[in-house]
């Protein structure tokens, strides 16, 4: 009897200690594409969050509690991503950081919404914020904001009258394609060739040949990382001479690494870039990332970093771990880099979770993306 009592008392004590430990920390669920085609994006997202968590804990955590980041691999599969978001919530996550691929976010964000869990995503398809989900927030502008920032480049710099479009037929690609075509229509630029490709496509010979035959004055390229690199390699092989201009992924570090010299000359509008070292916060983050991981960060690393820090800033404004209050605070919120330095750039969110902040034009020169201009927030 005594042994039974002692065992029961010990079990109760362990349970109490576990509960106390849980109360001493705040869990964040990092749900991302750590394997599969999306791994280049997902691993950068994860590593940006790792740096943020380390900094946040060094500064006292969130509401005085240390942050624990749980990692959940979606395998770049939308249905797996849904299960991973649910698992993160079951494990006690206060907020979800991820996913990046828009097709996955469209599937999994309802799970977070049903549980009133704030969710910061790296996804950029316009449809993400058009579903009326009050708990989902961007870490960079969606295509409906980013792509129009390119319009003046096509009209004023390139002075194009006819253009081509090469895009990836997934949620991300379709969103950017549709916005771009509409923007060109508004300014009287003709889309003379429109070529869709499939996710994980390896052969772009036919696609590039079609573009070359149509001979547009410039081509808008809107694909994920690996597909962008394959496209650039084939474009170089076939001597596609017109400017190749994209949004978000076309000039990022992973694409340049995979495409090599074929990436030189590619131009893109990017929401945020590690090459913008004239911004003190971005320069400091890039240095720390390179020292920690021995590689250059992509824009996804910065997006993950900003998502984690925004979670801290807004939670402490609310003063409690309350998802609904967090969501309410985010609507129409603006954070300045002067007051909230880890946000890196002055940033606002509207009532749908869409982000607005200054952005950049970059071009790959001698194997490295270089900032060639800035774009005001829109």
């Amino acid at each position: 009897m005594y042994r039974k009592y002692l065992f029961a008392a010990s079990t109760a004590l362990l349970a109490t200690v576990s509960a106390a430990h849980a109360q001493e920390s705040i869990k964040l669920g990092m749900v991302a594409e750590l394997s599969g085609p999306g791994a280049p994006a997902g691993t950068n997202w994860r590593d940006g969050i790792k740096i943020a968590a380390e900094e946040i804990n060094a500064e006292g955590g969130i509401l005085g509690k240390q942050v624990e980041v749980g990692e959940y691999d979606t395998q770049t599969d939308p249905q797996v991503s849904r299960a991973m978001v649910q698992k993160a919530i079951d494990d006690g996550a206060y907020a979800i950081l991820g996913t990046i691929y828009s097709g996955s976010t469209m599937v999994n964000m309802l799970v977070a919404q049903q549980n009133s869990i704030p969710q910061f995503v790296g996804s950029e398809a316009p449809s993400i914020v058009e579903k009326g989900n009050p708990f989902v927030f961007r870490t960079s502008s969606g295509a409906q904001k980013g792509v129009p920032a390119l319009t003046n480049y096509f009209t004023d710099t390139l002075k194009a009258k006819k253009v081509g479009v090469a895009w990836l037929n997934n949620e991300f690609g379709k969103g950017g394609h549709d916005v771009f075509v509409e923007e060109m229509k508004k300014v009287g630029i003709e889309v003379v060739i429109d070529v869709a490709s499939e996710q994980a496509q390896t052969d772009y010979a036919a696609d590039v040949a079609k573009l070359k035959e149509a001979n547009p004055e410039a081509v808008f390229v809107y694909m994920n990382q690996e597909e962008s690199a394959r496209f650039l390699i084939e474009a170089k092989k076939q001597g596609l001479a017109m400017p190749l201009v994209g949004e978000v992924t076309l000039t990022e570090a992973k694409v340049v690494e995979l495409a090599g010299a074929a990436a030189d000359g590619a131009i893109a509008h990017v929401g945020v870039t590690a090459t913008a070292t004239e911004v003190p916060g971005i320069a400091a983050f890039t240095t720390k990332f390179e020292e920690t991981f021995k590689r250059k960060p992509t824009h996804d690393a910065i997006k993950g970093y900003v998502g984690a820090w925004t979670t801290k800033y807004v939670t402490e404004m609310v003063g409690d771990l309350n998802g609904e209050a967090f969501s309410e605070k985010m609507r129409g919120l603006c954070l300045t880099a002067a007051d909230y330095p880890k946000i890196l750039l002055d940033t606002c969110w509207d009532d749908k979770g869409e982000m607005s902040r200054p952005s950049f034009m970059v071009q790959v020169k001698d194997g490295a993306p270089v900032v060639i201009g800035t774009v005001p927030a829109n």
Side-chain angles (χ1 to χ4, degrees), residues 75-355:
Q75 302 170 42
T76 319
D77 183 311
Q79 293 308 318
V80 173
S81 81
R82 180 184 178 90
M84 290 298 99
V85 168
Q86 184 62 63
K87 188 175 190 310
I89 294 170
D90 291 344
D91 289 345
Y94 156 66
I96 299 295
L97 302 174
T99 45
I100 299 173
Y101 272 35
S102 297
S104 290
T105 298
M106 288 293 291
V107 171
N108 67 52
M109 68 181 185
L110 182 61
V111 178
Q113 179 182 3
Q114 290 170 338
N115 289 274
S116 299
I117 301 291
Q119 181 176 9
F120 284 94
V121 303
S123 310
E124 298 181 2
S127 51
I128 299 295
V129 296
E130 293 171 354
K131 297 293 185 181
N133 182 341
F135 293 94
V136 69
F137 311 102
R138 302 254 205 217
T139 54
S140 63
S141 297
Q144 77 276 24
K145 277 184 169 287
V147 173
L150 277 170
T151 303
N152 288 343
Y153 190 80
F154 278 87
T155 57
D156 301 343
T157 302
L158 298 180
K159 301 186 184 306
K161 299 298 182 183
K162 57 179 185 175
V163 298
V165 186
W167 57 288
L168 189 62
N169 187 20
N170 62 8
E171 192 74 32
F172 164 77
K174 187 177 186 304
H177 165 273
D178 293 352
V179 174
F180 180 78
V181 170
E182 184 61 30
E183 283 295 306
M184 294 300 98
K185 188 183 299 183
K186 288 179 185 177
V187 295
I189 296 177
E190 182 184 3
V191 176
V192 295
I193 179 72
D194 191 325
V195 182
S197 56
E198 297 303 319
Q199 191 165 314
Q201 181 171 317
T202 58
D203 186 353
Y204 281 88
D207 298 42
V208 171
K210 291 176 185 176
L211 291 161
K212 189 173 183 179
E213 183 179 359
N215 195 31
E217 294 166 332
V219 177
F220 176 64
V221 184
Y222 200 78
M223 303 175 182
N224 293 129
Q225 288 93 335
E226 292 189 7
E227 291 84 0
S228 292
R230 292 175 191 138
F231 177 88
L232 289 173
I233 290 169
E234 185 61 36
K236 177 76 170 179
K237 181 180 177 181
Q238 293 195 33
L240 205 61
M242 68 285 294
L244 304 179
V245 185
E247 162 73 15
V248 185
T249 55
L250 188 62
T251 58
E252 73 159 32
K254 188 63 180 180
V255 174
V256 175
E257 175 191 330
L258 293 172
D264 276 1
I267 299 164
H269 167 256
V270 299
V272 65
T273 173
T275 61
T277 52
E278 68 274 17
V279 179
I282 292 177
F285 169 81
T286 299
T287 298
K288 183 175 290 187
F289 191 98
E290 290 179 352
E291 290 174 350
T292 303
F293 299 108
K294 312 305 179 189
R295 70 178 193 277
K296 295 182 182 298
T298 69
H299 72 288
D300 288 310
I302 300 175
K303 292 195 295 185
Y305 180 84
V306 168
W309 268 102
T310 304
T311 302
K312 171 182 168 64
Y313 288 144
V314 178
T315 300
E316 294 188 339
M317 289 178 188
V318 172
D320 191 17
L321 301 181
N322 184 314
E324 292 185 357
F326 187 106
S327 171
E328 190 63 34
K329 176 61 72 173
M330 282 292 298
R331 295 173 192 169
L333 178 68
C334 289
L335 300 178
T336 65
D339 294 330
Y340 302 92
K342 302 298 185 176
I343 207 71
L344 306 181
L345 295 161
D346 294 351
T347 304
C348 296
W349 288 266
D350 66 14
D351 59 358
K352 294 181 178 180
E354 183 59 78
M355 171 188 271

Side-chain angles (χ1 to χ4, degrees), residues 1-49:
M1 179 67 71
Y2 174 75
R3 287 182 178 177
K4 288 183 179 179
Y5 173 78
L6 184 61
F7 177 76
S10 299
T11 302
L13 179 61
L14 286 172
T16 301
V17 170
S18 296
H21 176 71
Q23 291 171 357
E24 289 169 1
S25 65
I26 292 176
K27 294 183 178 180
L28 303 180
M30 193 289 304
V31 184
E33 299 80 352
L34 303 181
S35 62
T43 52
N44 272 276
W45 172 268
R46 174 198 64 196
D47 293 345
I49 291 169

